[in-house]
Amino acid sequence: MKNCSLLLLLLTFVAVGCNSGKVSAPDVIKPSTFVVDSTDKFPVITDEALLTLVQKQTFKYFWDFAHPVSGLARERNTSGDVVTSGGSGFGIMTIPVAIERGFITRAEGLQRIQKITGFLKANTQKFHGAFPHWINGSTGAVVPFNTKDDGADLVETSYLIQGLLTARQYFSGTDAAETALRNDINTIWQGVEWDWFRKNNENVLYWHWSPTYNWDMNLPIKGWNECLITYALAASSPTHPIPKIVYDNSWTRNGSFVNGKDYYGITLPLGDAYGGPLFFSQYSFLGLNPKLLIDKYANYFNQNRSHALINYNYCKTNPLKYYGYSDQCWGLTASDIPDGYAASSPTNDQGVIAPTAALSSFPYKPVESMKALKFFYYKLGNKIWGEYGFYDAFSLKQPWFANSYLAIDQGPIIIMIENHRSQLLWNLFMSCPEIQTGLKNLDFQSSGI
């Protein structure tokens, strides 16, 4: 089975590609045999109608293609019984969007969340309250992600809890069904032993724990990357919180995650050169509203907007001269590539564009994201638009077009388009009283917290 959300492997890609801060051309750039046909492949509709269409079509991945027993999201469209905890968290967040946009009824959405939550609570293997990366959607048993990754994955757990808390805030009715749902979500949320993942009370959180190999994976969760949500939730836990020193020492590396350099005339407050793959500014911020996050290190909306704009300008400038890159065809992030999977970025550019990268940047750069959406849909729609929305990735220089869908790439498209349109998910997640308290404890300062 091809791996898709290889977050551990991605760290290797990012570390290799980003630390130098240099953009190097590959040994050989083959000329493309593909020429973009500039005719529209579908009738032109209004921008708002197009956004709704993309959300509705993409939602089918989580609704129609959900695992029939658990209701959880399959890792990818070829995964069979393998479901993903993090991708399911993203899928859970799409349900309020679908209800508000009229794709499903509130009763249908509630029933699905009840099914998911019941399975997570009663059937799924957990390790000190944390979930594995991959789960058998029929039995709830862990499916090893790799040999030693056969237990808890704290980051994937974070994405799942982010989704569950968003659902808890949405289903706020006083009737028995919605009250019971919130109680079940609280049981799952309060059961995660975030502080236990300090491994003998160290001032760091560790990504993995295995019942067979214990702490052998030995991967501390340090910033800047996609894991801010893990520390936000760990600091917010009403039952197993971490103290601020863990956040300072591990996540911020005592402030050494600061960048401050300019790329294409744009200052990047935090992180590696050129910002890394775009999922860094997306996964944690499906629920965390960067507009309400300011601390001594950054204004986090400016951080994410700068990251997106650097990625856009890199593709527009196209230093490696890949066919097809432009101000309409941009977006480098983790995705399938012709021979596997990679965390694409300006420092690890393999000529592959992933639609999720630009489309999940709508809150940060709506004009540039709309240009990309129109190009993807109208000009390339006959190649990359399918049953569950846009396929995962493509390369015009090859040419190559994926036929895959990945939960972790489809979910952010729906969610971040909605945060651009209405801030629905941001408003729901940030309304959690525990989150407000936790962010204050981490010294985030904003009028919204």
Side-chain angles (χ1 to χ4, degrees):
M1 177 188 298
K2 285 185 179 180
N3 293 338
C4 65
S5 57
L6 302 182
L7 291 176
L8 177 58
L9 182 59
L10 296 188
L11 292 179
T12 303
F13 274 115
V14 172
V16 171
C18 290
N19 286 345
S20 68
K22 298 178 181 179
V23 180
S24 300
D27 293 334
V28 178
I29 301 178
K30 296 179 180 179
S32 177
T33 59
F34 177 80
V35 177
V36 175
D37 176 4
S38 62
T39 62
D40 291 334
K41 307 307 181 296
F42 302 114
V44 176
I45 55 180
T46 68
D47 291 358
E48 286 298 301
L50 182 56
L51 290 173
T52 300
L53 173 63
V54 171
Q55 289 180 299
K56 185 175 184 179
Q57 191 86 351
T58 308
F59 178 67
K60 292 179 180 180
Y61 183 89
F62 299 99
W63 192 255
D64 297 342
F65 191 60
H67 193 281
V69 176
S70 62
L72 294 167
R74 290 180 167 104
E75 173 76 359
R76 56 168 61 229
N77 57 317
T78 55
S79 289
D81 275 335
V82 178
V83 299
T84 166
S85 52
S88 292
F90 297 172
I92 289 166
M93 296 180 80
T94 70
I95 289 178
V97 178
I99 294 169
E100 294 300 307
R101 293 289 168 189
F103 307 157
I104 59 173
T105 66
R106 186 181 183 91
E108 289 172 329
L110 174 62
Q111 185 178 38
R112 178 62 62 85
I113 295 291
Q114 288 173 318
K115 181 177 186 176
I116 291 170
T117 304
F119 187 87
L120 291 172
K121 180 183 175 184
N123 299 89
T124 305
Q125 274 190 281
K126 293 175 279 291
F127 307 88
H128 292 271
F131 291 83
H133 190 142
W134 283 348
I135 302 164
N136 183 299
S138 293
T139 68
V142 60
V143 176
F145 191 69
N146 59 45
T147 300
K148 293 187 177 182
D149 190 356
D150 63 349
D153 185 314
L154 197 63
V155 174
E156 294 292 312
T157 296
S158 303
Y159 300 146
L160 179 58
I161 298 297
Q162 179 179 223
L164 288 171
L165 289 178
T166 301
R168 185 193 73 181
Q169 297 304 103
Y170 183 77
F171 291 101
S172 58
T174 58
D175 59 281
E178 295 197 11
T179 299
L181 175 66
R182 293 195 299 276
N183 289 337
D184 284 345
I185 290 173
N186 283 334
T187 297
I188 296 169
W189 154 230
Q190 294 170 15
V192 182
E193 299 175 24
W194 306 92
D195 54 346
W196 188 82
F197 286 86
R198 294 174 64 182
K199 188 177 72 171
N200 301 321
N201 222 33
E202 295 178 24
N203 288 327
V204 61
L205 288 177
Y206 285 88
W207 200 306
H208 309 91
W209 181 81
S210 162
T212 307
Y213 301 96
N214 296 301
W215 301 102
D216 282 5
M217 293 285 286
N218 197 36
L219 183 64
I221 306 172
K222 296 186 177 183
W224 178 257
N225 53 42
E226 73 276 26
C227 304
L228 176 60
I229 186 65
T230 305
Y231 281 90
L233 288 168
S236 302
S237 171
T239 51
H240 298 278
I242 60 166
K244 185 174 179 293
I245 191 174
V246 180
Y247 171 83
D248 292 335
N249 183 72
S250 186
W251 174 250
T252 78
R253 291 178 282 134
N254 294 309
S256 65
F257 73 163
V258 169
N259 184 312
K261 297 178 181 178
D262 283 4
Y263 306 92
Y264 303 105
I266 303 152
T267 301
L268 182 68
L270 308 174
D272 291 314
Y274 294 87
L278 276 176
F279 72 88
F280 285 7
S281 59
Q282 295 164 357
Y283 289 1
S284 283
F285 300 97
L286 302 179
L288 286 172
N289 184 350
K291 293 181 179 180
L292 303 182
L293 295 180
I294 300 170
D295 66 7
K296 65 181 179 180
Y297 299 116
N299 173 311
Y300 286 80
F301 186 77
N302 289 344
Q303 161 69 25
N304 293 347
R305 181 171 55 188
S306 294
H307 184 196
L309 190 55
I310 290 166
N311 199 288
Y312 163 81
N313 274 287
Y314 170 84
C315 293
K316 179 181 176 182
T317 304
N318 192 14
L320 302 185
K321 307 303 179 186
Y322 287 143
Y323 175 72
Y325 280 27
S326 72
D327 64 340
Q328 300 176 72
C329 187
W330 64 277
L332 304 178
T333 193
S335 73
D336 283 348
I337 59 174
D339 57 352
Y341 188 82
S344 297
S345 72
T347 55
N348 184 37
D349 180 13
Q350 304 187 44
V352 175
I353 298 293
T356 187
L359 302 186
S360 301
S361 297
F362 253 102
Y364 312 132
K365 301 304 299 178
V367 173
E368 293 82 354
S369 292
M370 182 57 75
K371 283 184 181 180
L373 172 54
K374 290 180 176 180
F375 181 80
F376 297 156
Y377 182 71
Y378 292 120
K379 308 306 180 185
L380 297 181
N382 60 325
K383 299 288 187 180
I384 65 171
W385 178 259
E387 183 177 9
Y388 303 125
F390 291 109
Y391 290 111
D392 194 57
F394 63 89
S395 174
L396 298 181
K397 79 178 182 71
Q398 296 276 355
W400 169 82
F401 302 93
N403 59 6
S404 53
Y405 293 103
L406 283 66
I408 58 168
D409 288 344
Q410 298 306 99
I413 292 174
I414 304 167
I415 295 163
M416 292 303 258
I417 286 177
E418 192 58 40
N419 279 333
H420 160 65
R421 300 178 84 179
S422 71
Q423 297 196 170
L424 174 65
L425 293 317
W426 283 346
N427 291 340
L428 288 169
F429 184 76
M430 297 296 282
S431 71
C432 295
E434 307 99 311
I435 299 302
Q436 295 174 24
T437 298
L439 292 174
K440 286 180 180 177
N441 290 341
L442 296 180
D443 286 346
F444 283 99
Q445 301 297 322
S446 170
S447 60
I449 298 175

